[in-house]
Every structure is written in structure tokens, then in C-alpha cells.
């Protein structure tokens, strides 16, 4: 609870204090899972009510018929392209790819990270509402910003889903074709391993795992993580 007065007296948003308090509280072992188990369904409905009653009611639908608002909305939407270069910070691993593998894993990681970063979250609504509340924005400019945020919130998840499906389809097709080719020529079947690792977060862990796998002559087709809260990472 100390975060709330800290953010208030430092002239920051009290919502930032609430966010930091929840973030810190969730790092206590077992707290997050207990909260989800005991209050998950209640939280889901409360989020819907408070979101619609606060941010949802701030969407100026009547201004969306204004051509100037739509034009500026698309102009602001172009700003999401500024997040695309973030994908180039995706880690690049030295790994030996099969000659006939359908895509470069680094290119896939860059594309997915870039598209995932283009979605502008609900905090943009809060900032825009603060701007119009302090008379920093007029109604049309505020409407254009909200339109751009809504557009990115809708299109970005759709594009990300299509990108993920595309690469997953290529990987699945490669596996099926590889097995078929080996069986037709009487060759040895490829070996596929499902490796699960449970650990706390350690700096450089992903790179170490990749290097270890590559040193064994293996190639990672897919990797996923669960519970990324600093505990029991799989």
C-alpha cells in the first residue's frame, strides 16, 4: 500500500502505484496461484464492469463519423510502426539449421516480437483521458487518438495470430514431410525430443539452454514457457 502515497506525492499516477503494488504482491510464492483459484471468476467480471464503466464509456463513438477524426486516427495508427524495430532485439542464437528447413528461426522471432509490440494497451486510454481532462486535447484530437488505439488493439492480435499460424503450419508441414521422406526411402526415422525444464529465472538461461542443445547436434523446432513470474519457469 506504500506505493499509492509514494506515487501521489511524487506527482505520478496513483494507478502506477496500484500496478506496482499488484506486481510486487504477485511475486510472493503461491500468492498469484491462490488469488486466481479463489478470486479468478470474480476478478474477471469486475474487470469487465470497471473497464466498460470507466474506459469503455470514454470512447467517443459519435465523433467517429467525422472524416478529420478518421484521417488523424489512421495517421496516429501509423505511429505503431515505430515499435516494429524492437523485434531486432530478439536474441540470435548460433544454431545449425537443416538444409531444407522452411524458415529462419531468427526471422520468425523478429517478426513475432515486432508484431506483438504494435498493440497499444488500455493505458493509452488513461493518458488520453487525462489529456482531455486537463484541456491539453480538444474533442476531435482525443477522438482520433482513441480511434487509433482501438484500431491497433483490434488489428495487432489478428495479425499476430496469422503470423503464428503461418510459422506453425510451416514447421508442422516440415515435420510431416521429413517423416514421410525417411519412411519412403527406408531411412532412419528422425528423433524428436520433448524437453521440460523447471527452474527459477536465471540471467542468460535461454542462451545457455540453446547452446547446450546445439552442442548435442539437436535443433529446436519449438519452445514455450509457462508461469513467467520468477517462479517455476517451465
Amino acid at each position: 500500500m506504500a506505493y499509492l502515497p509514494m506515487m501521489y506525492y511524487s506527482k505520478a499516477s496513483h494507478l502506477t502505484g496500484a500496478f506496482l503494488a499488484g506486481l510486487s504482491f504477485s511475486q510472493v510464492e503461491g500468492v498469484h496461484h491462490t488469488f486466481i483459484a479463489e478470486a479468478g471468476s470474480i476478478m474477471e467480471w469486475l474487470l469487465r464492469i470497471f473497464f466498460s464503466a470507466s474506459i469503455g464509456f470514454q470512447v467517443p463513438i459519435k465523433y467517429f463519423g467525422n472524416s478529420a477524426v478518421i484521417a488523424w486516427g489512421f495517421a496516429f495508427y501509423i505511429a505503431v510502426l515505430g515499435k516494429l524495430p524492437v523485434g531486432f532485439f530478439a536474441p540470435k542464437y548460433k544454431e545449425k539449421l537443416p538444409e531444407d528447413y522452411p524458415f529462419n528461426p531468427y526471422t520468425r522471432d523478429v517478426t513475432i516480437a515486432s508484431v506483438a509490440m504494435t498493440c497499444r494497451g488500455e493505458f493509452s486510454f488513461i493518458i488520453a483521458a487525462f489529456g482531455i481532462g486537463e484541456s491539453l486535447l480538444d474533442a476531435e484530437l482525443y477522438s482520433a487518438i482513441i480511434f487509433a488505439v482501438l484500431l491497433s488493439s483490434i488489428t495487432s492480435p489478428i495479425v499476430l495470430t496469422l503470423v503464428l499460424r503461418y510459422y506453425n503450419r510451416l514447421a508442422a508441414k516440415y515435420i510431416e514431410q521429413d517423416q514421410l521422406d525417411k519412411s519412403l526411402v527406408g531411412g532412419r526415422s528422425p528423433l524428436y525430443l520433448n524437453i521440460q525444464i523447471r527452474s527459477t529465472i536465471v540471467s542468460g538461461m535461454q542462451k545457455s539452454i540453446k547452446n547446450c542443445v546445439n552442442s548435442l547436434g539437436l535443433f529446436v523446432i519449438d519452445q514455450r514457457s509457462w508461469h513467467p513470474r520468477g517462479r517455476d519457469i517451465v
Side-chain angles (χ1 to χ4, degrees), residues 2-152:
Y3 282 116
L4 292 176
M6 285 173 57
M7 295 298 105
Y8 175 77
Y9 289 110
S10 63
K11 303 303 180 181
S13 172
H14 62 281
L15 296 175
T16 305
F19 171 78
L20 292 175
L23 180 64
S24 301
F25 190 62
S26 67
Q27 298 304 306
V28 180
E29 187 173 4
V31 167
H32 173 69
H33 299 289
T34 302
F35 179 80
I36 294 299
E38 299 295 333
S41 58
I42 299 177
M43 179 185 67
E44 182 178 348
W45 280 102
L46 287 178
L47 284 176
R48 294 175 180 175
I49 294 174
F50 284 111
F51 187 86
S52 62
S54 57
I55 296 176
F57 289 165
Q58 295 176 10
V59 177
I61 300 178
K62 64 179 182 179
Y63 284 96
F64 288 170
N66 188 325
S67 59
V69 169
I70 299 300
W72 276 108
F74 279 106
F76 289 140
Y77 177 73
I78 297 177
V80 302
L81 299 179
K83 289 188 175 183
L84 293 179
V86 175
F88 290 101
F89 289 93
K92 186 175 183 179
Y93 304 103
K94 295 181 180 180
E95 50 188 351
K96 186 177 180 181
L97 300 175
E99 295 181 357
D100 56 344
Y101 200 66
F103 59 85
N104 188 324
Y106 177 66
T107 303
R108 174 200 59 192
D109 295 343
V110 169
T111 304
I112 292 175
S114 298
V115 175
M117 289 299 296
T118 59
C119 184
R120 312 180 83 169
E122 64 277 1
F123 201 71
S124 301
F125 288 98
I126 298 174
I127 296 175
F130 175 81
I132 195 172
E134 295 294 322
S135 299
L136 301 176
L137 306 172
D138 58 26
E140 289 191 358
L141 186 57
Y142 169 78
S143 302
I145 294 174
I146 297 300
F147 179 82
V149 173
L150 288 175
L151 191 61
S152 67

